[in-house]
Amino acid sequence: HADAARARAIARPERRAQFATGRWLLRHAAARIFGENGFRLDSVEGRPIVTAAGELAAVSLSHSGELVLCAAGRVRSLGVDVERVRPRADWHALCAWTLHPRERERIERAGESQRWPSFYQSWTYKEALAKALGEGVFGLPFDRILVSPDGRLEAADERLQSAPPDARLRDPDWRLAALRLGEGFAGAVAWRA
């Protein structure tokens, strides 16, 4: 089986455990949603692919630290992300690449204690969107995507040239939700109904 071979090839025990846990969660979620025998799990270029009733199903995995998240559903697109909240070395460079100017202003106004939790919440919304679109982290210009603190893709100020940079993000069916994962983690799920 390809997943077993891939797991054996992972050198770090914690990464191997994350991989195995993610695949188990994916099988469990798919069985609950599509029935025990109603789906097929494959890997394409190392990414898990679930097929149900002859069509690709919406699934997503993410891990950070000791947490592994799985999302699966009967929706058009789906992405999930989790990140451990931790300070990083260069706030200004990271913000320039990740945060829309209005998000950065809002986060900096909130104060030092909320800086990193707010940053990572914004990051996870955007990475979940990227995964739902089948893009890598560098596939979307995060600094041009404006997400409200409660997970809405906000209408943009044209002077800032901040309309969603990807036409797929203009679909009104997008939904984003923050995940409550406990102290020290931020997470989000993005889906298109």
Side-chain angles (χ1 to χ4, degrees):
H1 184 260
D3 282 348
R6 185 163 177 219
R8 283 191 301 274
I10 299 171
R12 290 183 19 225
E14 62 276 4
R15 179 63 192 107
R16 192 169 41 251
Q18 289 172 336
F19 177 85
T21 301
R23 290 308 193 268
W24 182 88
L25 285 169
L26 194 54
R27 281 186 185 86
H28 178 73
R32 290 201 53 177
I33 294 168
F34 307 112
E36 285 292 329
N37 299 312
F39 71 96
R40 179 182 165 145
L41 175 61
D42 295 302
S43 288
V44 174
E45 297 177 7
R47 290 183 54 215
I49 303 294
V50 173
T51 308
E55 295 185 22
L56 285 179
V59 298
S60 185
L61 291 170
S62 184
H63 59 81
S64 182
E66 65 272 9
L67 289 184
V68 179
L69 297 182
C70 171
R74 295 181 185 272
V75 294
R76 290 189 293 164
S77 305
L78 179 66
V80 67
D81 189 48
V82 59
E83 296 292 336
R84 181 186 303 259
V85 174
R86 63 194 186 284
R88 303 296 277 270
D90 192 345
W91 169 256
H92 298 290
L94 198 54
C95 287
W97 179 74
T98 306
L99 297 176
H100 182 279
R102 288 198 290 197
E103 287 174 310
R104 182 175 179 170
E105 179 183 310
R106 181 176 64 232
I107 289 171
E108 288 178 341
R109 250 192 346 258
E112 193 66 34
S113 68
Q114 289 304 305
R115 174 178 280 185
W116 291 108
S118 297
F119 169 84
Y120 281 105
Q121 189 60 66
S122 179
W123 171 274
T124 60
Y125 282 137
K126 294 174 186 187
E127 189 164 344
L129 277 168
K131 288 179 178 184
L133 290 169
E135 301 285 346
V137 172
F138 301 105
L140 289 177
F142 281 12
D143 64 326
R144 291 187 48 218
I145 299 170
L146 179 57
V147 180
S148 71
D150 62 347
R152 287 176 292 109
L153 286 169
E154 291 189 338
D157 181 342
E158 295 303 322
R159 290 174 294 131
L160 295 174
Q161 298 179 344
S162 56
D166 189 304
R168 297 172 294 177
L169 294 178
R170 297 181 190 128
D171 186 330
D173 291 335
W174 277 109
R175 301 293 178 263
L176 291 96
L179 301 173
R180 295 183 191 153
L181 303 172
E183 190 69 30
F185 287 92
V189 61
W191 71 97
R192 202 164 24 166

